[in-house]
Amino acid sequence: RLELRHGSHREGKRNDAEMQRWRDYGLGQFIHWGVYAIPGGAWDGISYNGAAEWIRSWSEKSGAPKDWRATYDKLYKQFNPQHFDAKIWAKQAKKMGARYMIFTTKHHDGFCLWPSKYTKYTIVNSPYKKDIVKEVVEAYAAEGIDVYLYFSIIFWNHPGYRSTVPKAPHDSLAYESFKEFTRNQLVELLQNYPQTKGLWFDGSWDAAWVNQAAWTDKLETELRQLKPGLIIGSRFRADEYGKRHFDSNGIMMGDYEQGWERKLPTTIDDTHGNDWDCVMTIPPNQWGYNADWKSSYIKTPYDLIAMLMQANSLNGNFVINFGPDGQGAIRPEESAIAAKVGEWMQINSEAVYGVTHANFPKPDYGVLTKKDTTLYVTVFNRPINNIVRLAIPKSSKEIPGKAYLLVNNVPLDLSAVNMGLDRDNNMYYDVALPVGFSAAEMP
Ligand SMILES: C#C[C@@H]1N[C@@H](C)[C@@H](O)[C@H]1O
């Protein structure tokens, strides 16, 4: 084991009430919104071939219009979202069944949706003027949904920002000012919005930031002292050997793993026994608003529900992303998807909120989650013989007290089934699916 000065501060899961609350969420809503919603993935009739929120990084070599960066950096002067109503977003999240939400206070372009004292590149200097972060935090609190603030370390047009480790004295000086600026903004966010439960960091992969192990370690401690119970993921800092997410001894840094961006673990072993979240886009890879909704596969509510249950069956939270347009409206297609997920959650959220991994062999017909001695059997792939087998290792100490079949939340009477030992010496219950049951039918 290496003697680390700036590695993980803790081994094993946090066991305080704030973290247990986070663990119980099950389903979250991510909102990516900012100046990038104005171009919406294109400009002057030319489409950008990357993620819409990265459009500022579009190079002329890859087809960007002339003087694109300068054009982009003036777009905030047009930011005046007439359809923005955080209460509508919050109600949609509530109907979807989200228990928490993550909101982009500023993305890599650095435009701040709150009136930060530390830069002029904020909402105050846009036609909209008002504090959007405040409106969001208050609207979601009114719906009983916890808010986490997304914060990008990268700030492409900040004078002190550097991606590579500064070498020349003037670069080092500039980067010191950028570090101070970053710290000041984080303290400002925690002081302005004390309701926030945590910070969701992004854009922390630059060599310049990775090289700041001691300083970022100190900053994390300062933020946690400022806000006891604060929840920070594994993406904030690196250890002194440049290791991120997991320190050089393989111990996770932060309170939950943030490595599952647009992907999911397959087995419980993939999660290394940590808390984790999966943040997921509805298109393949668009977080901010992209006007072109047709040229890629759009996930269906079924796709997202299957991912939601896979995440929760492996002790993770599942967070679905929405990208409001330049006027602040969530596109109708996304709202329709959220509503469908909500209809399913209306009946089946008991198998999502506050559940843990059920330590039984994973069935090929769906996923298992459990709460205390109740087992939730979510059947997505209906067996042709209409029978689901619950295989419970003979050695298992976990025998379900009762089991529910998901979609219709039908209680399964485990005593009235065919039981036996399979060839792996697992005890099994064979349960006939109720007549008319089908996981595919949305209620
Ligand atoms: C890469 C990258 C970023 N990480 C996701 C959460 C989005 O913010 C995307 O732009």
Side-chain angles (χ1 to χ4, degrees), residues 32 53-54 107-108 150 200 202 205 235 261 287:
H32 271 73
E53 70 283 355
W54 275 70
H107 203 261
H108 309 333
Y150 167 108
W200 204 95
D202 200 9
W205 46 77
R235 199 179 280 190
E261 183 174 310
W287 298 86

Side-chain angles (χ1 to χ4, degrees), residues 59-308:
S59 65
E60 288 191 17
K61 173 159 76 12
S62 57
K66 202 157 164 24
D67 301 330
W68 168 243
R69 297 268 163 96
T71 305
Y72 183 94
D73 288 344
K74 289 200 278 292
L75 286 180
Y76 75 101
K77 296 189 170 101
Q78 299 175 32
F79 195 73
N80 192 11
Q82 295 304 297
H83 302 152
F84 169 60
D85 180 344
K87 292 190 282 300
I88 295 176
W89 295 0
K91 286 185 179 0
Q92 176 171 306
K94 184 79 175 185
K95 261 184 74 185
M96 184 172 81
R99 283 277 168 94
Y100 73 125
M101 75 87 68
I102 305 167
F103 182 61
T104 48
T105 58
K106 67 170 182 178
H107 203 261
H108 309 333
D109 61 8
F111 181 65
C112 303
L113 295 179
W114 84 97
S116 176
K117 298 197 298 285
Y118 301 100
T119 171
K120 292 205 172 340
Y121 195 38
T122 82
I123 194 73
V124 166
N125 296 315
S126 77
Y128 188 77
K129 297 194 183 318
K130 291 174 288 181
D131 183 346
I132 283 181
V133 174
K134 183 170 185 285
E135 292 186 54
V136 166
V137 168
E138 289 175 353
Y140 281 81
E143 295 294 336
I145 297 175
D146 289 347
V147 175
Y148 289 69
L149 299 180
Y150 167 108
F151 184 92
S152 169
I153 303 295
I154 289 176
F155 186 149
W156 283 314
N157 70 3
H158 186 280
Y161 167 70
R162 298 292 184 277
S163 57
T164 55
V165 177
K167 296 263 184 291
H170 73 276
D171 281 329
S172 303
L173 221 55
Y175 199 67
E176 286 308 306
S177 74
F178 175 73
K179 285 160 56 180
E180 194 54 25
F181 160 81
T182 301
R183 176 214 165 270
N184 291 341
Q185 281 208 317
L186 288 167
V187 171
E188 180 180 56
L189 283 169
L190 293 182
Q191 289 174 338
N192 287 12
Y193 314 104
Q195 310 91 321
T196 192
K197 305 279 184 192
L199 296 166
W200 204 95
F201 285 100
D202 200 9
S204 56
W205 46 77
D206 286 334
W209 184 262
V210 167
N211 190 47
Q212 293 292 329
W215 188 81
T216 53
D217 188 1
K218 184 165 154 277
L219 178 57
E220 178 177 333
T221 301
E222 180 186 4
L223 296 174
R224 290 181 187 278
Q225 282 165 349
L226 195 62
K227 173 110 187 146
L230 185 69
I231 294 177
I232 295 176
S234 62
R235 199 179 280 190
F236 176 49
R237 64 186 178 90
D239 74 4
E240 56 262 50
Y241 293 93
K243 291 282 186 196
R244 300 178 61 234
H245 294 285
F246 293 87
D247 69 18
S248 302
N249 289 320
I251 314 294
M252 183 182 71
M253 301 169 80
D255 304 317
Y256 62 93
E257 191 193 343
Q258 278 181 279
W260 302 101
E261 183 174 310
R262 296 188 298 121
K263 57 187 182 190
L264 280 159
T266 310
T267 69
I268 194 71
D269 295 343
D270 295 338
T271 69
H272 311 292
N274 296 312
D275 288 307
W276 57 278
D277 72 354
C278 165
V279 289
M280 185 57 73
T281 49
I282 294 178
N285 183 17
Q286 293 293 334
W287 298 86
Y289 175 74
N290 190 309
D292 172 11
W293 192 250
K294 298 265 181 295
S295 63
S296 56
Y297 178 74
I298 301 300
K299 294 177 189 70
T300 67
Y302 305 119
D303 293 327
L304 295 163
I305 289 164
M307 292 175 183
L308 165 72

Side-chain angles (χ1 to χ4, degrees), residues 9-28:
H9 292 164
R10 184 200 64 255
E11 195 164 347
K13 292 186 174 184
R14 263 178 60 169
N15 52 21
D16 55 293
E18 288 87 354
M19 196 65 208
Q20 188 54 49
R21 184 182 174 91
W22 182 94
R23 207 168 278 137
D24 289 345
Y25 288 142
L27 174 60

